[in-house]
Amino acid sequence: MKIAIGSDHAGFVLKNRLRDQLIADGHDVVDLGAHSTVSSDYPDYAATVGNAVVAGMAVRGVLVCGTGVGISIAANKVHGVRAAAVSEPVSARLARSHNDANIICVGERIVGIEVAFEIVRVFLETPFSEGERHIRRIDKVSQLETEE
Ligand code: RB5
């Protein structure tokens, strides 16, 4: 799967570990930075990865910051992004099956490496359920973007 990955400085180490694992698993990964632990701003990487996913340059996105929260808030400002900040795999699964999330966000300061691997694995493997109620609710979320 084509995956865009990004982080700020606080997510740099975990982002690199996730990137390397995804490549080892056979995914086509584009690393959109950060490229060091020098202080940087999470909205910049949220926008880059969000725009890549919405433009179809990647099927899914993975974002990492210190908590996963700031970078998810920023990513969700990009129209068409449905980013979920999660700290365990059950939420990652439901973010896909109920919310059709296209970006997963995790916090390097919050989750351990094995939990992060599992979150991303579940996020990539879980399909959207396509239930009528879920589609209706996602359509309502999209409608909010036209009201801004
Ligand atoms: C950076 O110090 C930190 O605030 C950022 O990575 C993130 O956790 C914000 O939500």
Side-chain angles (χ1 to χ4, degrees), residues 28-135:
D28 181 5
V29 184
V30 55
D31 183 349
L32 297 172
H35 299 294
S36 78
T37 54
V38 173
S39 184
S40 59
D41 298 334
Y42 60 79
D44 297 339
Y45 303 99
T48 305
V49 169
N51 285 320
V53 170
V54 171
M57 292 163 53
V59 178
R60 304 266 176 82
V62 176
L63 285 168
V64 189
C65 68
T67 60
V69 174
I71 210 158
S72 69
I73 290 171
N76 278 312
K77 299 297 183 187
V78 177
H79 288 185
V81 164
R82 291 179 298 279
V86 308
S87 300
E88 38 70 34
V90 175
S91 296
R93 177 171 58 81
L94 293 173
R96 284 291 310 135
S97 60
H98 287 197
N99 312 120
D100 198 17
N102 49 15
I103 296 180
I104 200 77
C105 306
V106 292
E108 181 176 319
R109 297 170 180 166
I110 306 298
V111 299
I113 185 68
E114 293 298 334
V115 173
F117 283 156
E118 184 68 3
I119 286 169
V120 173
R121 189 186 66 75
V122 167
F123 171 70
L124 296 176
E125 289 182 355
T126 305
F128 176 49
S129 80
E130 297 185 6
E132 187 278 330
R133 70 187 190 284
H134 299 312
I135 292 170

Side-chain angles (χ1 to χ4, degrees), residues 1-5 15-32 62 117 120 124:
M1 186 184 292
K2 182 87 184 223
I3 298 163
I5 194 166
K15 181 264 290 176
N16 288 354
R17 294 286 303 274
L18 291 171
R19 177 199 62 205
D20 293 348
Q21 183 64 49
L22 289 168
I23 291 169
D25 290 344
H27 293 287
D28 181 5
V29 184
V30 55
D31 183 349
L32 297 172
V62 176
F117 283 156
V120 173
L124 296 176

